[in-house]
Amino acid sequence: MTGTPSDNDSDGGRNDGSDDDSDDSDGNDGDSGDGRAPPNATVSLPADVVERYRKFSRFNSPYPAHRSGRAVDLYPGDGVGRSPVAGTVREVRSVGCPDRPYAAAEDHLIVVDLDDEWCARADAPPGTVARILHVIPEVAPGDRVAVGDALGPTTRSGFFGQWVDDHVHLGFRPPDADPLRASGSLPVAVDGPVEPVAWDGTGPVVERGPTHVVLDGPRRDESGPPFAALASDEGAPLDGGLTHYAGGGAFGTGERTAGTERRTAAADGPTVSLFGTTIGTATAHGTAGEPGPPRVEWEPVDVLANGERVVGLSLFAARGARFGVKVVCPDREFAVGESVTVEIVPSDDPVRLGVG
């Protein structure tokens, strides 16, 4: 990494945490071997499934599964890990995770054999398997689960940073693939638009945690889609860790077409900007057989809050009129009610947080 934002940071194996797990999916393995499931078959989460959660993200993580569009994080907001899928629990197991003072000593994996009906709704091949992480299982092999069923409480996993809210990590494997391997996940898309909401970069602090604050802004009137996200200058709803992870992405703004999400405004040109500064380059997933809107490789920039460098912005799609922008700032203190102005400036030493 470059740009050490605190004394606790170190190169490699650092203690910042990250916004997800070790589902390091390269997409090159995981074919069923019997012709039933192409290795790049896209699983498209139905809108009524995603709308059960308070927010979601595809790219807010340094892990390969998210960087390649092969995982989604679903944030319930009430501490209950509810199932986004329907099927039969095949296996539950505890897994090791990075040692963090704020996190549990272990994480958990729940493997679900999906019902054919759920697979049909999600454009997934019959026999597709779901992998769910960050939930303490209160289910056992052989249990039937439906969408919305409680799987157990969410856990504070060492796989994500202290500023990250508890969430359900969801990935998929094709039929006959090994669901316990840390690679081989299928591409994941979300069936539903996300409204891009413009913001001038200024708002009061409405929430603060040990390593972050949430600002009151941007706002919207909720007459559009259920979910909204911060808009780039080009009008693309942004997703990811800006720019403390090497790359982020954009959400879809329109209906699905032929099994994938319609491309966003970011795909109309190669550059993406925010607050008048170029922040990244959009790369359409379709060129690599990957689903949905483009991922964005961040430019070397810094995020400033009231003129001071912070770690970055944690971006996602969220419900409600005020979904807030989360400023990751472990070494800066901003009081509730304090007005904060966010700026983006070029940098020759940007903050980059790594895995593990």
Side-chain angles (χ1 to χ4, degrees):
M1 58 160 279
T2 63
T4 53
S6 76
D7 292 339
N8 293 327
D9 293 342
S10 60
D11 291 339
R14 60 181 310 285
N15 267 352
D16 65 273
S18 16
D19 281 6
D20 217 316
D21 59 273
S22 60
D23 185 9
D24 296 342
S25 305
D26 57 20
N28 294 322
D29 54 6
D31 195 348
S32 69
D34 60 6
R36 288 187 294 161
N40 284 323
T42 298
V43 180
S44 184
L45 285 182
D48 63 342
V49 170
V50 180
E51 288 170 13
R52 293 172 178 267
Y53 300 86
R54 185 170 61 89
K55 61 183 182 179
F56 74 92
S57 172
R58 296 176 69 209
F59 294 101
N60 201 348
S61 170
Y63 287 96
H66 283 279
R67 290 204 307 267
S68 60
R70 296 171 185 268
V72 62
D73 290 335
L74 305 166
Y75 295 77
D78 62 358
V80 179
R82 301 192 183 278
S83 178
V85 300
T88 302
V89 176
R90 178 196 294 189
E91 186 167 353
V92 298
R93 64 165 52 191
S94 297
V95 296
C97 63
D99 182 17
R100 316 287 187 200
Y102 56 82
E106 60 184 7
D107 204 338
H108 308 275
L109 170 67
I110 302 173
V111 178
V112 179
D113 290 317
L114 299 176
D115 287 347
D116 287 349
E117 181 181 356
W118 195 97
C119 289
R121 291 188 62 216
D123 298 329
T128 296
V129 176
R131 284 169 44 97
I132 296 169
L133 287 142
H134 314 330
V135 177
I136 301 172
E138 294 181 346
V139 293
D143 287 351
R144 296 275 305 158
V145 295
V147 173
D149 284 354
L151 301 174
T154 55
T155 185
R156 296 296 296 161
S157 172
F159 283 121
F160 45 85
Q162 192 170 6
W163 59 87
V164 180
D165 294 332
D166 289 1
H167 60 270
V168 175
H169 169 89
L170 177 63
F172 298 94
R173 296 293 165 83
D176 296 343
D178 183 353
L180 303 181
R181 290 191 59 186
S183 62
S185 288
L186 293 169
V188 180
V190 173
D191 183 3
V194 173
E195 179 184 357
V197 181
W199 183 46
D200 64 5
T202 297
V205 175
V206 294
E207 173 191 316
R208 58 175 296 183
T211 59
H212 77 274
V213 295
V214 176
L215 305 184
D216 186 15
R219 287 180 174 266
R220 63 174 184 144
D221 61 13
E222 293 190 273
S223 61
F227 289 96
L230 176 64
S232 71
D233 294 345
E234 297 78 17
L238 296 173
D239 183 18
L242 176 65
T243 62
H244 47 285
Y245 300 140
F251 296 105
T253 58
E255 70 281 353
R256 283 171 60 233
T257 303
T260 61
E261 296 161 288
R262 195 171 68 186
R263 295 170 71 187
T264 67
D268 294 335
T271 60
V272 181
S273 60
L274 184 65
F275 308 142
T277 298
T278 298
I279 59 172
T281 302
T283 303
H285 279 293
T287 59
E290 294 163 344
R295 64 181 182 272
V296 179
E297 297 299 321
W298 303 131
E299 292 290 322
V301 298
D302 284 335
V303 177
L304 307 183
N306 286 353
E308 298 183 82
R309 185 167 93 149
V310 295
V311 170
L313 301 180
S314 184
L315 304 175
F316 38 76
R319 302 171 64 91
R322 180 194 66 79
F323 51 89
V325 165
K326 180 177 286 187
V327 181
V328 182
C329 51
D331 300 321
R332 303 289 183 265
E333 293 187 5
F334 299 103
V336 172
E338 181 178 355
S339 179
V340 173
T341 296
V342 175
E343 302 172 271
I344 311 291
V345 297
S347 174
D348 59 4
D349 186 27
V351 175
R352 290 288 190 268
L353 306 184
V355 173

